[in-house]
Amino acid sequence: MSIYFLNLLITLSCVLIGRFIYTSGKLGTLIASLLFSLPMAFIAGVRSLTMGTDLGVYGEFNFRMASQFSQIADYYQYLKQINGTEYGYAVLNFWVSRFSMDIHWFLFILSLFTLLPFFIGAIRFEQKFSVPVVMQTVFYFTIFYGPSFNEMRQSLAMGWVYLSCSYLFENTSPRKKSLYVLLTWIIAVSFHRTAIIEGMIIFIYLYLHQETTTTGKGLKRFSLILLGSAILLVAFTLLNRGAFASSINKYASYLDGSNSLVQKTIGISRIISLTMMPMLSFSLVGLWLKNQKKASRNVADMMLFEAVMILDMLFLWAGLRGAIFPRLGQYFSMFEAVAVFLPAIFFESKQARWIYFILTCVYYICVFIVITRTGENQIYPYAWIFN
């Protein structure tokens, strides 16, 4: 597993060096994010083609077929009929095939397009919530980097959802903020349809950020959100059993129970390991919220992260009934890159904050080792990555 940790070490070194770059404005943020992305994108590009089942299911086929078409519209129509590939992902395949037919170049650029929006979002979240990019990077690497070899389209969409939601906290005009959020959300959906679930996060944000005079009113809204989330989960369960399957052709296999993700379940050890730290963070942030007498923008922000953590844990535990729920819940899990570190910002001592940061990172590195060694990382990664 040394290659993984060497990759992480190089990436973190780039992040620490890049701190002097991304403080210099939007151009600096873009350059720094590109620098941060390169080490992980490089490994993703040169890896063995046996790393990631989706690569064998549609990844290689889609890319090879791109060279057979001279028009993107014809290529997209063909893929729609064959495997229902989204437009944005088809465009990326088509564009890369114009200058290289080496699949490794495509995997490198795919990973770059996945990581770049994540790091831009991470920088923005650090500026807003004081959660260092280093900590967000450790979380992403340990929880999402490995699965990104397999969930190629969804991982790409998740990176853009992360960036999109970072604009929710933009201190700018509502019109400009809405434009940024919607544009990046549209890009995310163009890579994978499941990115539509970002609408839940946007709804929660808008609901919690309505003007309130007391924290109590905000807590009532928060309770209603949890109730709504539970209803949504029940609805997904009903669909999972086959109801209304005929009306949604694209996902009929998910709904009628024939898809492997519906038939497969998630191990209890994986679920426990992935929910322990969010539960701790949820409890600590909850205690802080309880002591707030008046509602504020900061309180609403904390409630948003609380709601996202609850949604993630609900979808994870629903994995006992089928793997489709945790796959959808990954959009919520992404924001734990910020949420699980939030309790540290309430500590007055800088030393205490960094102890919490470091212990949390150590925990997730341990989680990474366990789920990788047990083969629960979805890509069978405990093998020589270069074949």
Side-chain angles (χ1 to χ4, degrees):
M1 295 181 69
S2 59
I3 185 62
Y4 291 107
F5 291 108
L6 178 61
N7 191 8
L8 176 60
L9 181 62
I10 295 173
T11 301
L12 294 180
S13 299
C14 291
V15 172
L16 292 173
I17 295 171
R19 288 188 63 86
F20 300 101
I21 302 175
Y22 66 74
T23 55
S24 59
K26 292 182 179 179
L27 180 60
T29 296
L30 181 61
I31 294 173
S33 299
L34 181 61
L35 173 66
F36 303 163
S37 303
L38 287 175
M40 287 194 281
F42 175 77
I43 294 298
V46 301
R47 75 179 190 265
S48 166
L49 299 184
T50 62
M51 301 292 286
T53 52
D54 281 12
L55 183 57
V57 173
Y58 66 83
E60 284 192 86
F61 173 80
N62 284 10
F63 184 67
R64 302 297 181 197
M65 290 305 301
S67 63
Q68 306 300 313
F69 292 84
S70 58
Q71 299 293 327
I72 179 62
D74 295 336
Y75 172 62
Y76 173 58
Q77 289 301 321
Y78 173 76
L79 290 185
K80 276 182 65 177
Q81 297 175 1
I82 298 299
N83 52 31
T85 297
E86 291 83 356
Y87 184 76
Y89 186 76
V91 168
L92 189 60
N93 277 267
F94 189 81
W95 172 64
V96 176
S97 72
R98 297 308 94 179
F99 65 83
S100 175
M101 277 308 299
D102 187 342
I103 185 67
H104 292 286
W105 269 111
F106 172 72
L107 294 176
F108 169 73
I109 293 174
L110 175 68
S111 184
L112 206 59
F113 270 72
T114 301
L115 292 163
L116 192 61
F118 166 76
F119 279 114
I120 295 174
I123 291 171
R124 295 175 57 79
F125 278 120
E126 178 184 304
Q127 293 168 344
K128 175 64 179 179
F129 296 105
S130 301
V131 175
V133 175
V134 169
M135 305 305 157
Q136 296 179 64
T137 302
V138 171
F139 180 89
Y140 179 87
F141 182 89
T142 55
I143 303 300
F144 293 111
Y145 179 59
S148 72
F149 291 177
N150 179 42
E151 303 165 7
M152 296 161 59
R153 288 151 50 222
Q154 183 174 339
S155 295
L156 183 57
M158 285 163 56
W160 285 91
V161 166
Y162 196 70
L163 173 60
S164 178
C165 288
S166 73
Y167 287 113
L168 290 172
F169 306 99
E170 180 88 355
N171 292 322
T172 185
S173 66
R175 180 176 297 181
K176 190 175 181 180
K177 179 193 297 187
S178 300
L179 178 63
Y180 287 151
V181 171
L182 290 175
L183 180 60
T184 46
W185 187 16
I186 290 170
I187 293 173
V189 174
S190 77
F191 290 130
H192 203 261
R193 293 175 180 87
T194 55
I196 197 71
I197 206 168
E198 181 188 338
M200 289 181 62
I201 300 174
I202 295 174
F203 168 76
I204 295 171
Y205 172 86
L206 294 174
Y207 188 70
L208 289 174
H209 283 74
Q210 295 180 51
E211 291 186 9
T212 56
T213 56
T214 65
T215 306
K217 289 184 178 179
L219 288 172
K220 288 180 180 178
R221 291 177 176 174
F222 181 64
S223 300
L224 288 174
I225 288 171
L226 296 184
L227 177 61
S229 301
I231 292 173
L232 180 67
L233 196 61
V234 171
F236 269 119
T237 303
L238 292 175
L239 290 174
N240 185 36
R241 292 178 177 175
F244 317 115
S246 61
S247 64
I248 309 178
N249 294 327
K250 168 65 181 175
Y251 294 105
S253 64
Y254 293 99
L255 304 177
D256 63 20
S258 62
N259 189 276
S260 60
L261 281 178
V262 177
Q263 298 168 355
K264 180 182 177 183
T265 58
I266 303 298
I268 186 69
S269 60
R270 179 185 175 92
I271 293 174
I272 292 174
S273 64
L274 292 177
T275 54
M276 283 181 62
M277 190 57 68
M279 181 60 71
L280 174 63
S281 178
F282 177 85
S283 302
L284 293 174
V285 174
L287 288 174
W288 179 84
L289 287 171
K290 186 178 180 181
N291 293 325
Q292 304 306 301
K293 302 303 181 182
K294 292 185 177 181
S296 66
R297 185 179 180 87
N298 193 38
V299 167
D301 290 343
M302 294 301 111
M303 285 185 175
L304 173 62
F305 283 109
E306 289 277 88
V308 168
M309 284 190 284
I310 281 292
L311 285 169
D312 174 51
M313 289 185 281
L314 283 173
F315 275 72
L316 267 174
W317 281 100
L320 294 173
R321 299 297 304 274
I324 183 62
F325 296 105
R327 281 286 291 267
L328 290 172
Q330 285 181 336
Y331 287 99
F332 306 123
S333 301
M334 279 287 289
F335 295 94
E336 288 175 1
V338 177
V340 295
F341 296 104
L342 283 178
I345 68 177
F346 305 137
F347 299 152
E348 294 183 2
S349 168
K350 186 176 181 180
Q351 184 179 13
R353 286 198 296 270
W354 279 100
I355 290 174
Y356 184 90
F357 283 149
I358 293 171
L359 289 177
T360 303
C361 287
V362 169
Y363 175 81
Y364 277 107
I365 289 173
C366 292
V367 170
F368 169 77
I369 293 172
V370 171
I371 64 177
T372 300
R373 283 183 175 274
T374 56
E376 289 198 49
N377 218 9
Q378 304 180 43
I379 60 164
Y380 325 114
Y382 195 50
W384 182 232
I385 195 171
F386 301 126
N387 199 23

